[in-house]
Amino acid sequence: MIEADKDIKAAAPSIFVRPAVEQDCQRLCDIYLAVRRQTFTWVSPDHFRRDDFLMHSKGEEQLICEVDASVVGFISVFRPENFIHMLFVMPAFQGYGVGGALLAALPGWPQQSYRLKCLVKNQRARGFYLSKGFKVTGSGASTEGDYEELTFAGQP
């Protein structure tokens, strides 16, 4: 794993998105656990487990993003419904195009419609999705807090 520094933008890192393979599984578990514990500060860290990723991603397809050959983020999609279940990027690499690269790699993006749920308290993620053209289309509650359903209608 590489350490991000303050000059990552100046260094013009190489961003590469590819389908996840079995060998990526442990790294995805690590990212999912670390980012949830760092981001969802309103939830007790004990609520999150390392094997949550394996349970939460059953039946989904993942793409991973590498920066300079290190896996720093992923997106997990339930394809029958074009539902983005997870998009997680290590905090040190947020704001550098990783999330956008993962969205852009989705099948049919940006013509295809996609939807997701975003926790209301996760303002940074909400702002990211709205900046990418998602619109609020619903709301609800989960064990981790209230969420908004966001939909990307696709572009002609």
Side-chain angles (χ1 to χ4, degrees), residues 25-38:
C25 186
Q26 294 309 308
R27 179 68 180 137
L28 299 184
C29 288
D30 292 341
I31 291 172
Y32 190 53
L33 178 62
V35 174
R36 290 170 79 208
R37 283 185 172 168
Q38 286 181 282

Side-chain angles (χ1 to χ4, degrees), residues 19-99:
V21 295
E22 189 174 331
Q23 294 85 345
D24 297 316
C25 186
Q26 294 309 308
R27 179 68 180 137
L28 299 184
C29 288
D30 292 341
I31 291 172
Y32 190 53
L33 178 62
V35 174
R36 290 170 79 208
R37 283 185 172 168
Q38 286 181 282
T39 304
F40 303 165
T41 57
W42 57 92
V43 179
S44 169
D46 296 335
H47 175 77
F48 306 116
R49 304 269 182 256
R50 190 167 188 283
D51 60 350
D52 285 348
F53 174 78
L54 300 174
M55 292 184 300
H56 296 170
S57 65
K58 281 190 191 282
E60 298 177 356
E61 297 175 18
Q62 291 84 36
L63 296 172
I64 65 164
C65 186
E66 297 178 342
V67 172
D68 295 334
S70 292
V71 177
V72 300
F74 70 90
I75 191 167
S76 188
V77 179
F78 183 64
R79 291 283 297 135
E81 296 179 12
N82 285 340
F83 181 75
I84 300 170
H85 185 213
M86 304 177 224
L87 193 162
F88 283 81
V89 176
M90 292 299 294
F93 293 91
Q94 293 176 5
Y96 297 103
V98 172

